[in-house]
Amino acid sequence: IGVEYRPTPSRCFERMREIEDDADQIVAYFPPFSYLLTSEKYPQYLRKMLIEGRPFQRATRQAQIEELDSILGVLNSRKTHQKRRRFSVISFINAPEIERWLKLGGVGRFDLPEDEVAERRQVARAEVEHLINLVRSEPMGIQIALIENAQHYTKFQLFRSPARTARSISPFRLGRALPNNQC
C-alpha cells in the first residue's frame, strides 16, 4: 500500500492522468458525474464557474487564472486520452446530486443575475441530456450506474490495470454547482 499526496489540483489531476496511461478501466464516483463523460461544451462553462466562484487576490489574479487553465488543460488531456485509448469507464451517478445540479445550474456563486442563472440551468440540463444520450447509445466501454439514494459522499476513482489497482481521492469539486479547485 502506498500513499501519495498532491497539494494542488493541477498536480493531483496530472498524477491521475499519469496513472490512466496504464489503466484499462476507470471506476469513478465524482458527483454529479465524471468529467470524462462531459460534453465538448462543458469545459468552457466549468472555467466560468471556477473563475466566478473563486475569491481572487488582485495581485495574483492572472497567475490564478493561468493555474485554472492548466487544470482544465490536464482534464481535457485526460478526456482526449480516454477517447483515443478507449479504456473502459464505469461511472456511478448520484441521482440526488443530479437533481440538485439541475435546480442550481452550473453556477460558481449564488449572486448571479437571474438571466445568467437561467442560462446555467440550461447548461446543466444539456449535460444531463448528454449523459442520457450516452446511456441510450451504449458506447463501447462506457457504463453508467444511477444511484438513487447515495450514502457514500467521498469522491473517488479506481484505476485498474493488469499489474495493479490504484485509488484516487480528491478534495476538489469540478463537476457541480459551486465547483472549487482549492483545499
Side-chain angles (χ1 to χ4, degrees):
I1 295 175
V3 175
E4 297 179 23
Y5 173 73
R6 306 290 180 204
T8 65
S10 56
R11 288 187 193 166
C12 178
F13 294 120
E14 178 60 32
R15 182 63 179 135
M16 284 183 196
R17 191 195 59 72
E18 290 169 1
I19 295 170
E20 282 172 358
D21 282 344
D22 297 326
D24 296 328
Q25 182 183 69
I26 293 177
V27 179
Y29 177 68
F30 264 74
F33 46 78
S34 171
Y35 187 83
L36 295 175
L37 302 180
T38 59
S39 73
E40 298 303 317
K41 293 181 180 181
Y42 185 69
Q44 71 187 13
Y45 285 102
L46 177 58
R47 184 178 191 274
K48 273 180 149 178
M49 289 185 284
L50 288 168
I51 288 173
E52 72 195 13
R54 184 166 185 177
F56 287 105
Q57 303 300 320
R58 196 173 284 214
T60 60
R61 178 180 170 81
Q62 188 57 40
Q64 290 171 318
I65 289 175
E66 287 172 10
E67 175 161 355
L68 287 176
D69 290 336
S70 172
I71 294 165
L72 289 170
V74 171
L75 289 171
N76 290 328
S77 171
R78 290 179 59 211
K79 196 169 164 179
T80 300
H81 184 70
Q82 187 278 328
K83 286 181 180 178
R84 190 180 31 172
R85 279 202 52 228
R86 297 206 175 269
F87 53 77
S88 172
V89 176
I90 300 171
S91 182
F92 294 99
I93 296 179
N94 181 332
E97 285 281 341
I98 292 286
E99 184 178 346
R100 184 172 74 131
W101 197 57
L102 287 169
K103 286 180 181 178
L104 293 174
V107 298
R109 63 177 196 262
F110 289 125
D111 63 345
L112 296 175
E114 191 55 41
D115 60 330
E116 186 70 22
V117 172
E119 178 186 335
R120 301 300 183 78
R121 285 185 181 130
Q122 288 302 317
V123 168
R125 181 183 173 129
E127 286 305 311
V128 171
E129 288 174 353
H130 174 74
L131 287 171
I132 290 169
N133 288 332
L134 285 176
V135 169
R136 287 183 178 154
S137 66
E138 299 178 344
M140 185 67 82
I142 304 293
Q143 296 177 37
I144 298 173
L146 184 66
I147 303 170
E148 291 186 34
N149 191 9
Q151 299 298 316
H152 192 283
Y153 291 102
T154 301
K155 305 172 296 299
F156 69 89
Q157 286 189 116
L158 298 176
F159 303 91
R160 292 176 150 172
S161 68
R164 69 182 182 137
T165 297
R167 180 179 70 165
S168 169
I169 298 173
S170 171
F172 311 111
R173 293 187 324 261
L174 297 181
R176 62 169 110 174
L178 306 176
N180 84 358
N181 68 328
Q182 303 173 56
C183 288

